[in-house]
Amino acid sequence: MKKRLYSTLIILFVFINSSLLVFADNSNVTVRVTETGSKYHRKNCTYLSSNIEITLIEAIEKGYTPCSRCDPPTLYSDPEDAEKPYVAPKKKKNTSTYGKSSSISSTNAKASISNDYHKSDSSNEILYFFILLIAIFIIYWIIVFIRTIFDNIKKEKVELSNYKYYFSIYAFHDPIKFVDVPDNARIVDGLPVTDDTGAYGKYTVYVSAKGKCFHHNPKCANTLQVENYANAYYLKPCRRCVKCGIPELKWYWKYKEITEIKKKYKIP
């Protein structure tokens, strides 16, 4: 059992490590920041006023956000895309003859860049949220799985200890030897009997079809069936015919308990 536990833990450890490597394999790529700005950039970005190299994870931890123009890498993105320098788009000739039209185009372009930036941030937040949920789910089930294994090991140890204890006491012995059997009583087919009159001697009772109570007098009611008192023990005695003399069965319950223990642990 211990070997199986160690193997399972090793597999889980390798799985978690490989998962973390997949999630964080681009955290050490190089990005650029400026001395006063709040964004991080690709190499050769036109927004770079100074070129300070820093890793992606450090930039995120210091509060930098991705530049909207050069679209630098983010966590969990394609690591091969990380080192691609910024390439400025080709300038188009301004065919407009009116300054007002040019101003409107410039304003629209800035609005488009701002919208793309916010969309990028929103998508990254959703991605981080789902990754966090998956990580929590995996960790929870790992804890449940490990706890179940340890509980089973503990249970097996208790069962083994009980088996050794009961085997040392009951092995190769009839359970009847461990109880104080009343005079003239014995076990026949797993039920207590005596040599008195009736099918089971003094343990003979009579039960009606509805089975709400048991009787000692077979003439007390109609359609009574013969039953052993051990089987009718939890029924109420009939007030008319059972006034006293109900036999005691503590010894029989002890016999049944030992019999069940031997059966459970397969003790000869």
Side-chain angles (χ1 to χ4, degrees):
M1 188 65 186
K2 290 184 177 180
K3 291 182 179 179
R4 185 169 57 188
L5 172 62
Y6 294 150
S7 300
T8 304
L9 292 177
I10 290 172
I11 292 172
L12 289 174
F13 178 76
V14 172
F15 172 75
I16 294 172
N17 279 352
S18 62
S19 299
L20 293 175
L21 288 174
V22 170
F23 286 145
D25 60 357
N26 69 334
S27 61
N28 291 323
V29 300
T30 302
V31 295
R32 277 79 179 172
V33 297
T34 61
E35 293 181 353
T36 58
S38 61
K39 310 291 183 182
Y40 65 87
H41 310 262
R42 290 182 183 273
K43 183 179 180 181
N44 300 331
C45 179
T46 54
Y47 280 172
L48 276 175
S49 58
S50 58
N51 192 2
I52 302 174
E53 293 187 353
I54 190 173
T55 63
L56 174 58
I57 190 67
E58 289 175 340
I60 293 174
E61 289 176 351
K62 291 181 179 180
Y64 289 98
T65 56
C67 172
S68 60
R69 169 165 291 193
C70 63
D71 190 23
T74 59
L75 281 179
Y76 318 116
S77 61
D78 186 359
E80 295 182 358
D81 181 56
E83 296 298 331
K84 293 180 180 179
Y86 167 69
V87 178
K90 293 182 179 180
K91 293 183 178 180
K92 296 182 179 179
K93 293 181 179 180
N94 188 3
T95 58
S96 174
T97 57
Y98 300 96
K100 185 176 181 179
S101 176
S102 176
S103 176
I104 292 173
S105 299
S106 176
T107 302
N108 290 338
K110 290 181 180 179
S112 177
I113 291 173
S114 177
N115 290 336
D116 290 342
Y117 171 73
H118 288 297
K119 287 180 181 178
S120 177
D121 277 357
S122 177
S123 62
N124 285 339
E125 288 177 0
I126 294 173
L127 178 61
Y128 299 155
F129 175 75
F130 278 109
I131 291 174
L132 179 61
L133 284 181
I134 292 172
I136 293 174
F137 178 80
I138 292 173
I139 292 172
Y140 170 78
W141 282 110
I142 289 174
I143 293 173
V144 171
F145 181 72
I146 293 175
R147 183 174 180 178
T148 302
I149 292 176
F150 279 104
D151 287 345
N152 289 337
I153 292 175
K154 184 178 180 180
K155 185 177 179 180
E156 288 181 1
K157 288 182 178 180
V158 171
E159 290 295 317
L160 180 60
S161 176
N162 290 341
Y163 170 77
K164 291 180 179 179
Y165 172 75
Y166 291 131
F167 187 89
S168 64
I169 298 175
Y170 300 133
F172 307 106
H173 293 291
D174 190 335
I176 200 70
K177 294 182 178 180
F178 299 93
V179 296
D180 294 329
V181 182
D183 294 339
N184 199 29
R186 64 184 187 277
I187 300 295
V188 176
D189 296 331
L191 295 172
V193 298
T194 63
D195 293 331
D196 300 326
T197 59
Y200 303 102
K202 69 177 182 179
Y203 296 104
T204 303
V205 296
Y206 303 90
V207 180
S208 63
K210 294 183 179 180
K212 293 183 178 180
C213 64
F214 67 87
H215 307 259
H216 273 177
N217 186 352
K219 299 180 181 180
C220 184
N222 296 325
T223 64
L224 294 181
Q225 298 178 358
V226 178
E227 187 59 88
N228 190 282
Y229 176 53
N231 293 333
Y233 179 78
Y234 294 103
L235 298 178
K236 294 181 180 180
C238 174
R239 294 181 180 181
R240 291 174 296 180
C241 63
V242 182
K243 296 181 180 179
C244 60
I246 298 176
E248 183 270 327
L249 281 179
K250 289 183 180 180
W251 69 273
Y252 176 72
W253 302 135
K254 182 65 176 178
Y255 165 82
K256 288 284 290 185
E257 178 185 351
I258 297 174
T259 302
E260 291 299 324
I261 290 173
K262 294 191 66 172
K263 182 179 179 181
K264 176 181 177 181
Y265 293 99
K266 299 179 180 180
I267 298 174

